Amino acid sequence: MAIPTIEDLAGRVHGTVVTPEDQGYDEARRVYNGMVDRRPSAVVRCVNAGDVLATVGYAREHGIDLAVRGGSHSAPGYGTCDGGVVADLGAMRGVRVDPTTRTARVEGGATLADLDAATHAFGLAVTGGVVSTTGVGGLTLGGGFGHLARGLGLTCDNLLSADVVTADGRLLVASEHEYADLFWALRGGSGNFGVVTSFEFRLSPVDLVHVGIFFHELEHTEAVLRHYREYIATAPEQLGAFPGFQIAPPLPFIPEDRHGDTFVIVVACWSGPPDQGERAIQPFRDAAPVAFEFTSPMPYPALQGMFDALLPPGLQQYWKGTFAVELTDDAIAAHAAHGPKVPVVNSTCHIYPVNGACHRVAPEATAFSYRDANFATVIAGVWPDPADNEANTAWVRGYYDALAPHSAPGAYVNFMDGDDQGRIVDNYRDNYTRLVELKRTYDPENLFHVNHNIRP
Ligand code: FAD
């Protein structure tokens, strides 16, 4: 059989195929991280599983790189590649909610905003991240955690099944009952095992949440972090909260003369009974004097979209992550030394809690192995001007170097950058061998390698 040409592919898919000759190519090849400047030979804007099958087949038959793009948020820019073909799922964003069974069917290119809007209409939600433009695809396949994780677990813990296009060109439905080994690998193994065209999630009742954002002066950094470490260990699980470092944006609750100053902050989200919200977040006020605060009940999707404006597409990005069982005094000292040096308003370091329901899944039950970690830290370098690349990546690296001796060897795959490929084994610990075996079963030629790669 003749190897298909790009014209053949264009004739086979229902979506559009954008090549370097086409108007709109620069738009089509762009990903969220503005630092990433790659030139694929074609971007296929898939509209259904058939288009994904055709694109995967095309890459396999030509022996070229295949990048899979969900929400496009990967810091290393794995949603694109040089010379190869991109399966862009960005037009596959449909969400169908079944309020009776409390489940949602979510297409592989949906964003958290798509998902949250659809489920919120029924007073339901699945635990996701903290920025609504993030893709459900990459987030779920890497694990996924945000404001609701302590109560509801990781996003992948709420996955019931997935429709997967595999490297050999099949569409499999993976769940606890069918292709259970593949289903295991999808829950943490990132994009290594196929293209998920549709996710099925279990939903939970979440409607209004009580939100508290507290800005403390930097002199209180150690007190705030020590208090957070103690309180979050035993706080009710409907409380999500993370501390971080933040340059004050021009928000109405911050006096104008403090815009641009750096603070240690805590973002808290209470998803339990509304009348208990204030009591749950009060300890953050008691921990240290509060310079400014914003508290309000709000619909869950409103919280999810709250930080979007700080993180528009096209900014430069460089990220590092760590897991830690303990937030030790030495780790706190490292945070106190590096967090206050956060260079721009878009950059931050957040320390997310991954205890509670995340710990009730055994480390070997899904590919996501760090079930004993209590904290997942992200040092997210995000800045507008490419001229500042060196200074900003240096801030991220210096911070990470200081924190690493007080952290676990592995990190959350979705917080790692492209230069972290060497940490993949540490990331999966005892699950790594099984992941390699499953990679040999489902993708022996490593077609899906534009990712944090598990080599067959
Ligand atoms: P993409 O770049 O499209 O994809 C990322 C990886 O997943 C690629 O390897 C891609 O091939 C693969 N992939 C994507 N979709 C599919 C699919 N349908 N089938 C197969 N493979 C697929 N993570 C959290 O857990 N919690 C957070 O709160 C959080 N906040 C974030 C905020 C911002 C602003 C950003 C940039 C990231 C955040 N992340 C968070 C990290 C996020 O989970 C990762 O960046 C994730 O990879 C994004 O997925 P995506 O689909 O948007 O990205």
Side-chain angles (χ1 to χ4, degrees):
M1 204 173 75
I3 294 187
T5 62
I6 197 74
E7 289 76 23
D8 294 333
L9 178 64
R12 274 169 65 188
V13 299
H14 193 57
T16 42
V17 177
V18 185
T19 66
E21 288 74 43
D22 293 319
Q23 252 197 347
Y25 173 71
D26 280 331
E27 170 67 29
R29 72 187 179 91
R30 200 170 292 147
V31 289
Y32 179 78
N33 183 351
M35 201 190 263
V36 175
D37 180 23
R38 296 185 195 132
R39 303 186 69 84
S41 62
V43 176
V44 183
R45 292 199 155 126
C46 301
V47 297
N48 57 36
D51 286 1
V52 176
L53 274 163
T55 310
V56 167
Y58 179 83
R60 188 184 56 241
E61 286 165 41
H62 282 267
I64 55 173
D65 283 348
L66 169 67
V68 178
R69 188 187 304 166
S72 166
H73 270 40
S74 124
Y78 289 144
T80 187
C81 59
D82 269 323
V85 64
V86 177
D88 179 0
L89 276 60
M92 295 174 62
R93 292 169 55 172
V95 180
R96 175 180 175 272
V97 178
D98 182 342
T100 312
T101 56
R102 287 188 174 168
T103 57
R105 274 254 157 228
V106 184
E107 285 192 294
T111 63
L112 293 178
D114 299 325
L115 173 57
D116 292 334
T119 60
H120 184 69
F122 302 95
L124 299 168
V126 65
T127 166
V130 304
V131 174
S132 83
T133 53
T134 311
V136 172
L139 178 126
T140 304
L141 295 170
F145 42 77
H147 300 291
L148 307 176
R150 296 186 67 241
L152 301 178
L154 304 179
T155 310
C156 72
D157 297 339
N158 293 274
L159 187 65
L160 296 172
S161 74
D163 295 359
V164 192
V165 170
T166 52
D168 60 1
R170 290 180 293 164
L171 178 77
L172 305 179
V173 180
S175 70
E176 290 287 5
H177 314 290
E178 300 167 272
Y179 299 101
D181 54 354
L182 176 60
F183 187 57
W184 178 89
L186 291 175
R187 288 172 291 163
S190 200
N192 276 284
F193 295 91
V195 187
V196 177
T197 55
S198 174
F199 295 89
E200 183 192 12
F201 289 106
R202 177 176 47 245
L203 304 176
S204 303
V206 177
D207 193 1
L208 285 185
V209 291
H210 192 76
V211 173
I213 304 179
F214 303 99
F215 279 65
H216 305 271
E217 303 290 354
L218 288 172
E219 70 204 66
H220 303 302
T221 296
E222 304 212 351
V224 167
L225 296 187
R226 284 208 179 100
H227 167 264
Y228 165 70
R229 145 182 102 185
E230 307 304 329
Y231 183 45
I232 211 66
T234 55
E237 289 184 1
Q238 294 107 321
L239 183 72
F242 61 86
F245 293 92
Q246 183 64 52
I247 293 179
L251 293 170
F253 68 96
I254 302 174
E256 230 173 281
D257 63 343
R258 300 305 308 273
H259 296 171
D261 291 350
T262 305
F263 295 86
V264 58
I265 64 163
V266 174
V267 178
C269 163
W270 170 256
S271 57
D275 59 340
Q276 295 171 24
E278 264 305 304
R279 198 172 66 204
I281 64 173
Q282 180 60 34
F284 296 114
R285 285 193 192 97
D286 300 338
V290 175
F292 326 107
E293 69 168 67
F294 168 84
T295 49
S296 180
M298 64 178 73
Y300 173 65
L303 169 63
Q304 288 292 81
M306 215 170 187
F307 306 112
D308 291 1
L310 279 175
L311 298 157
L315 301 183
Q316 315 291 300
Q317 308 246 355
Y318 181 74
W319 289 39
K320 289 269 174 212
T322 67
F323 277 130
V325 176
E326 310 268 359
L327 186 57
T328 62
D329 287 348
D330 287 341
I332 289 176
H335 283 295
H338 292 266
K341 295 182 195 153
V342 57
V344 284
V345 68
N346 319 92
S347 287
T348 193
C349 171
H350 289 166
I351 311 170
Y352 298 110
V354 281
N355 58 0
C358 306
H359 283 198
R360 284 196 289 277
V361 176
E364 68 284 359
T366 66
F368 187 100
S369 86
Y370 267 95
R371 298 293 182 166
D372 54 340
N374 287 305
F375 304 100
T377 301
V378 64
I379 308 160
V382 185
W383 63 98
D385 190 348
D388 298 332
N389 287 7
E390 214 175 299
N392 282 273
T393 49
W395 173 70
V396 176
R397 287 202 178 114
Y399 201 149
Y400 171 73
D401 288 346
L403 211 51
H406 316 294
S407 309
Y412 176 40
V413 69
N414 280 339
F415 291 166
M416 291 176 136
D417 219 299
D419 53 6
D420 282 319
Q421 290 283 355
R423 298 172 69 201
I424 303 287
V425 181
D426 288 333
N427 216 22
Y428 293 108
R429 301 195 289 187
D430 293 346
N431 289 339
Y432 188 71
T433 311
R434 186 171 178 204
L435 282 164
V436 172
E437 281 163 14
L438 290 171
K439 186 78 174 167
R440 285 187 189 133
T441 305
Y442 287 101
D443 185 17
E445 303 299 327
N446 205 7
L447 180 63
F448 301 112
H449 64 268
V450 183
N451 48 38
H452 285 112
N453 197 225
I454 295 160
R455 294 211 183 91

